[in-house]
Amino acid sequence: MSNNTDENGKKTYHKKASGKALETVKKHSKDTDLTLFGSCFCPFVQRVWISLEVKQLPYQYIEVDPYKKPQSLLEVNPRGLVPALRHGDWACHESTVLMEYPFTLQLEDLHEGEALLPPEAKKRAHSRLWADHVNRHLVPAFYRLLQAQPDQDQPAAASELHTELHKLIDAADPTGPFFLGDKISFVDIQAAPWILRLGRVLKPYRGWPDPEPGTRWWRWVDALEGNDAVKATTSEDGLYLDSYERYAENRPNTSQVQKAINSGRSLP
């Protein structure tokens, strides 16, 4: 039996990164004061991981199986969820919180670097508003479409995701290619893992269309795919295809996210 199949021969989640992401794991395998506990298939982990790569801080990446919940992870997050971050004797979790920590750390402790949230109050509020949109609307719509079965209304779920995505595109800088202009920023990193998974997961499982060349959306996706920090945290396509089959079939007990979507609750 393959390491990526379950007892029924079904594809399951990978426990080791591949491609560029595996290279990054190897580069960050040594002990440091700053440690990220993650899982290679998890988009919530990837956005924190991208943040660390953007700021080029020294960190250690530790791959864990969140379904086995090792003691080292439970010590950092008693719920056993990833991502989780330890910095010395301090620990924290929740991806939206952790995303800001590397930038605060670098700016306040090292007095260098550029924050991904802009200094201007109005632009900062604009970024936070649309980061909230990503988490409240875009991410749940992604999972609703992925988990919708043939006997359910997949076209309605696809329409919802298109609508939420176009709201985000309309709110972005018209030239781009990123959300605020020519540099990757907070909103880009919040959304990037799910944008990457549109082509790697929703396209094969739900027929999601590629971006139309030359459009604002195409420029945004192309910029994310070409960003060094994004590439450094992205595994080979097969990892995502295997790891998300569970969601596409809406198998019981796939994850807390899956259960929340099925029950109509907010994401954990």
Side-chain angles (χ1 to χ4, degrees), residues 142 197-210 241:
F142 174 96
R197 285 159 177 75
L198 292 174
R200 291 164 173 81
V201 175
L202 283 187
K203 181 180 178 179
Y205 284 124
R206 294 293 179 264
W208 187 263
D210 290 328
L241 194 65

Side-chain angles (χ1 to χ4, degrees), residues 35-72:
T35 302
L36 173 64
F37 295 84
S39 299
C40 58
F41 62 87
C42 177
F44 298 95
V45 168
Q46 189 176 11
R47 59 185 178 187
V48 179
W49 201 3
I50 292 171
S51 301
L52 288 169
E53 282 294 303
V54 166
K55 299 314 291 182
Q56 289 293 293
L57 291 170
Y59 70 92
Q60 180 185 20
Y61 179 92
I62 296 179
E63 181 78 22
V64 297
D65 183 344
Y67 297 94
K68 304 296 184 183
K69 302 190 187 305
Q71 186 59 35
S72 59

Side-chain angles (χ1 to χ4, degrees), residues 2-266:
S2 165
N3 289 335
N4 300 313
T5 57
D6 62 18
E7 63 276 8
N8 298 313
K10 294 278 193 176
K11 293 177 183 177
T12 189
Y13 63 96
H14 286 224
K15 303 176 183 68
K16 183 179 181 180
S18 62
K20 292 290 185 182
L22 180 57
E23 294 176 16
T24 304
V25 169
K26 291 177 179 178
K27 289 178 184 177
H28 292 275
S29 61
K30 295 181 180 179
D31 287 345
T32 65
D33 206 34
L34 184 63
T35 302
L36 173 64
F37 295 84
S39 299
C40 58
F41 62 87
C42 177
F44 298 95
V45 168
Q46 189 176 11
R47 59 185 178 187
V48 179
W49 201 3
I50 292 171
S51 301
L52 288 169
E53 282 294 303
V54 166
K55 299 314 291 182
Q56 289 293 293
L57 291 170
Y59 70 92
Q60 180 185 20
Y61 179 92
I62 296 179
E63 181 78 22
V64 297
D65 183 344
Y67 297 94
K68 304 296 184 183
K69 302 190 187 305
Q71 186 59 35
S72 59
L73 175 61
L74 293 172
E75 290 172 358
V76 178
N77 181 0
R79 296 176 66 196
L81 300 178
V82 289
L85 196 72
R86 181 184 291 282
H87 189 199
D89 59 1
W90 178 85
C92 192
H93 46 92
E94 301 298 340
S95 65
T96 53
V97 176
L98 296 183
M99 273 185 61
E100 295 194 50
Y101 185 67
F103 312 112
T104 304
L105 175 67
Q106 191 171 41
L107 289 166
E108 294 183 357
D109 294 5
L110 304 180
H111 306 290
E112 62 182 35
E114 181 178 347
L116 291 194
L117 280 166
E120 301 92 341
K122 290 180 180 178
K123 285 187 177 181
R124 184 179 289 260
H126 180 67
S127 294
R128 289 193 183 279
L129 175 67
W130 287 99
D132 184 70
H133 174 83
V134 170
N135 292 309
R136 287 179 183 268
H137 303 289
L138 189 65
V139 173
F142 174 96
Y143 287 106
R144 276 193 283 271
L145 174 56
L146 181 57
Q147 292 173 213
Q149 297 304 292
D151 60 342
Q152 299 170 320
D153 201 344
Q154 290 183 356
S159 177
E160 178 195 11
L161 181 54
H162 274 288
T163 296
E164 301 305 340
L165 187 58
H166 279 285
K167 289 177 184 177
L168 185 65
I169 297 167
D170 290 342
D173 178 89
T175 302
F178 294 106
F179 183 76
L180 290 180
D182 61 354
K183 294 181 180 179
I184 195 169
S185 66
F186 193 68
V187 177
D188 301 292
I189 300 175
Q190 287 273 359
W194 289 273
I195 292 176
L196 298 179
R197 285 159 177 75
L198 292 174
R200 291 164 173 81
V201 175
L202 283 187
K203 181 180 178 179
Y205 284 124
R206 294 293 179 264
W208 187 263
D210 290 328
E212 184 178 344
T215 61
R216 176 66 180 89
W217 173 231
W218 178 85
R219 294 198 304 275
W220 196 354
V221 173
D222 187 60
L224 286 173
E225 292 278 5
N227 180 268
D228 287 342
V230 174
K231 289 192 294 185
T233 61
T234 302
S235 288
E236 295 171 346
D237 291 358
L239 180 145
Y240 303 105
L241 194 65
D242 289 352
S243 298
Y244 283 86
E245 186 183 84
R246 303 171 302 143
Y247 288 89
E249 295 179 354
N250 204 15
R251 294 180 206 159
N253 301 314
T254 287
S255 72
Q256 292 192 31
V257 168
Q258 179 233 15
K259 291 177 182 178
I261 292 296
N262 285 343
S263 65
R265 294 182 284 110
S266 59

